Amino acid sequence: MKQLTTVESMYSCVRCGACREACPTLSITGREADGPRGRVLMARNLIEGVIPVNDEIKEQLDRCLLCSACVDACPVDVAVPDIVMMAKEKISEVRPQEGVTGIVGKWVFRKLLPFPKRLQKLGHLLWIYQKSGLQMVVRKLRVLKLLSESLQQMERAMPEILPPSRRNPHPLFTPSDRKDLKGSSHSAPRAALFQGCIMDMMFRSTNENTIRFLAQSGFDVVTPGQQVCCGALHTHNGEKDTALELAKRNIEVFEQANVDYIVSNAGGCGAMLREYEELFRDDPEWLPRARQFCQKVKDVSEVAVQKGTIPQAAGQGERITYQPSCHLQYVMGVKDAPKKILRSVADAQYVELPEAGYCCGSAGIYNLLQEQMANDILDKKMGNVAKTRANVIVTANPGCLLQMKMGIERAGMQGSVEAVHIVDYIVEAMERNKQSQTAEDQEELQKQSV
Amino acid sequence: MDGRVILRLEQLFGKERVLTNQTDLMTYSYDASFATQLEPKEPEIVVIPQSTEEISACVKLANEYQVPLYPRGAGTAQTGGPVPVMGGIVMDLSRMNRILEIDHKNMQAIIEPGVVQANLNNALKEYGLFFPPDPGSAKMCTIGGMVANNSSGLRAVKYGNTRFYVLGLEVVLPTGDVIVTGGSKSKALKSVSGYDLAHLMVGSEGTLGIITKLRLKVLPLPSRRGIVLCSFSKLEQAGEAVNELFRSGILPSALEIMDQQCTKAANLMRPQLALPENEALLVIEADGSKEEVASQVKRITEVISKFTDYVKFSDEPEECQQLWQARQIVGAATGRLKPGGFRVYGGEDICVPLSRLPETLRKIHEIARSYNIVCAIYGHIGDGNLHTSPVINRRDKEEIENAKKMIEDIHRLAIEMEGTTTAEHGVGIVRAQYMEIEHGTALEVMKAIKRTLDPNNILNPGKMALPV
């Protein structure tokens, strides 16, 4: 749990400026109001009632990506995103979001995301959209461009949805591939896959690959079917009650699963799961259960590096670079594990991405709400990608993945650069390695038989 | 403010780089000083320039309309130096952050004023070079600000302050004219030609000109460092040990002291450090080649061992990192001395003669006790520079008042000890009241220089006890 409450942390900022160089929005405009110190002061003035709620202050606070890079840089851990959220809650109390956005938002947060079955149905619709030719029509007519350029680019970056027949529930149990344990009395550590809501609908194969990767890394993998959305989007959009309900449900489900680790493959979800303890800060009944839950939460790369083995994998001579997920690096504190895995891939060259610490601009739905800023951030990011001359950008969160795909489109790098999730990249490389091993083994056998 | 000023500025910079929103003005009302936490000062306009030409035109415009203009870097000052105490225009120079040239053959770098210290050093590393002045804020402060305040840090004991590394400056004068100091076409590493105007600008805190380009001297980067960590039951022993080190012909690259409250705070933040909570902890650094460091560490340890049994040392990079941790975290850790503690930056930069250090430390603690304020002291004992760190509750009005009085007492004490109120942070608004007592008639000369260069009193007025 955090040492300071949000209010205490708000009053601890001495404005030393250690956050300045970490902040992506400040790096774009250079305006102090686009930096963490400025945001803490604006939020404080709003919360204290020194300044009234108005369009200007709302717009300013909405420009924060909530990426937490500043918290990581702060010597006294001032929780800038929490402070900004607190101010935004005050704004929505005074002026609740009205109109279509408000209604649609509420429907999505309360009636869609919490229900896996409804999400799967949405998945069916998207699949129909992609397969029926409607997508082609939409693209040809450039309907979406009328709404927003980002929306259009996002539609293009959308992954191919698997057909309903291939989206059955994941197997409840997948045994570890560890050969040394076969027949021994020791059992492999148990890892539960946290499948996520949108993740499981849109990036179904990444979840399947995560199970494969974990099994190969030495874990027995459990995927409880009753799990629900982590609640991150709810927390970031002032829907705290729904977030609490979702958290309780997940805590119960994963307690019953009786596992050593709860593994996420999306930095955004993992960070939220780690924050359950904070969510129940003032709830003595749920706090101990939340704490136990949080201690088990690990990112897929983290758990493989720390508690499993890195599977052998082989590339095909490509240059790879890594764009970290902010929630993974700053909230979960996982910085080196993904790089360690990528460096271990044979026949691929890992190159460090300059200014990798900056958010890519995805940040939940920020890229739709703050189009200009998000695009500026993304274009700068793609400039840095170009410097690496990498063919593959590896990411660790679905939002970042979509954003990098959009970035590739924007920069006209299609064909020369691709963006992939770390698990998908590694599993492919793992299988390539296995195939070449088998081929070598057969060659060896043939030689011996000759 | 004359509406035409905004219009003219918008013509000059474009609307995007002229800020007049309530939120923008609010966020340029502070730096890192305690004083501006309590009393923020909002500008009327903020501008973000990108070139010397823009700056020169802006200064001329400010003269035309008689509007005060305040240059600002990253706003990490602890003095209120960049805040607009008399309204007017704040000029944010942090976007002029290009490294223009690293001329490694001539051991110099040419940069814009908004380059952050750590970013320059990252770029220099490739060439095996470094820019030595290293304030605690190296990761965020701009070098323009460092020059304007002649700042320094841990390694000043060996490498001196920013002044030593300034070869030449391009400066927009308070009238808008542009000059180049240190020889307009010179790339020489030494020059005694003419009045030393570059060094008149160093430490002038934005009152005599706006620095727009810097030519800096750089040094070979030492390949290694070694650390000696030692603890003393009495402050006086630490003082004697430092004296003995110098007399033995040793010049460490850093020579730091932490008092009992500091070690307590560091232990609270990182219990695994397990530092002995004695009256004084010294952290001593040696740098150079592997052999030089090994031999220096050995000699330092020999000298120190005459004064205390608690000595740890290493010249292995990882172990050094461990030993250095205590010093690294102390600034942030002091807040832990009190629940919900807020570390006050005030009275934070005094400097006294080495011989009077133990006495000064004891007296500061007496002052703190008299106001019932928790207080930790650390600093650069190698040059007598102490960073006092009072810790208060930010929302306790009485404690804030007491802290203000305590800051005043600490500054008076520094002068009484034949020292100064500021060694590396600057004067700004927070130490202006001591200028006369520190400088006597020399202050009159400073005022005369200011009047000559800035007849309309446009640049950063209301600072350093200069005429308003």
Side-chain angles (χ1 to χ4, degrees), chain A residues 82-145:
Chain A
D82 297 0
I83 296 166
V84 170
M85 280 313 300
M86 196 182 209
K88 284 170 96 164
E89 273 160 34
K90 177 161 178 181
I91 294 174
S92 56
E93 272 166 31
V94 177
R95 39 159 78 179
Q97 208 173 39
E98 283 159 3
V100 183
T101 346
I103 295 166
V104 172
K106 274 201 188 106
W107 182 81
V108 169
F109 292 130
R110 293 180 191 171
K111 303 284 181 201
L112 179 65
L113 295 181
F115 301 98
K117 280 189 188 149
R118 292 181 194 172
L119 271 165
Q120 288 303 337
K121 277 190 192 142
L122 178 68
H124 299 354
L125 288 177
L126 283 172
W127 177 71
I128 292 167
Y129 167 74
Q130 288 182 341
K131 295 293 160 202
S132 65
L134 184 60
Q135 183 173 45
M136 253 163 54
V137 176
V138 168
R139 286 185 182 179
K140 283 236 166 79
L141 294 178
R142 300 175 179 227
V143 183
L144 293 172
K145 197 168 184 179

Side-chain angles (χ1 to χ4, degrees), chain A residues 3-4 7-8 11-21 26-34 37-39 41-42 44-45 48 50-52 54 56-57 60 75-77, chain B residues 16 19 21-24 26-33 36-37 40 48 72-76 92 94-95 116 119 137 139-140 269 332 336 340-345 394-395:
Chain A
Q3 239 190 356
L4 304 175
V7 172
E8 279 169 352
Y11 286 103
S12 305
C13 174
V14 295
R15 299 182 189 149
C16 67
C19 48
R20 276 181 62 94
E21 289 295 296
L26 186 63
S27 86
I28 295 292
T29 67
R31 293 167 62 232
E32 184 74 21
D34 277 328
R37 285 193 301 192
R39 288 180 178 134
L41 177 68
M42 289 187 290
R44 194 178 97 190
N45 278 343
E48 285 181 339
V50 176
I51 49 170
N54 57 30
E56 188 188 323
I57 189 85
Q60 287 307 318
V76 291
D77 304 332
Chain B
E16 289 260 294
L19 315 177
N21 278 340
Q22 184 199 20
T23 44
D24 278 311
M26 186 194 299
T27 50
Y28 282 93
S29 65
Y30 55 77
D31 58 4
S33 64
T36 58
Q37 282 258 356
I48 304 181
R72 174 186 172 101
T76 56
D92 182 341
S94 62
R95 297 299 279 178
V116 167
N119 294 347
S137 54
K139 276 188 188 161
M140 56 272 194
M269 195 166 183
R336 305 276 169 109
F342 176 89
R343 186 253 165 102
V344 172
Y345 284 101
R394 173 72 178 76
R395 284 175 286 176

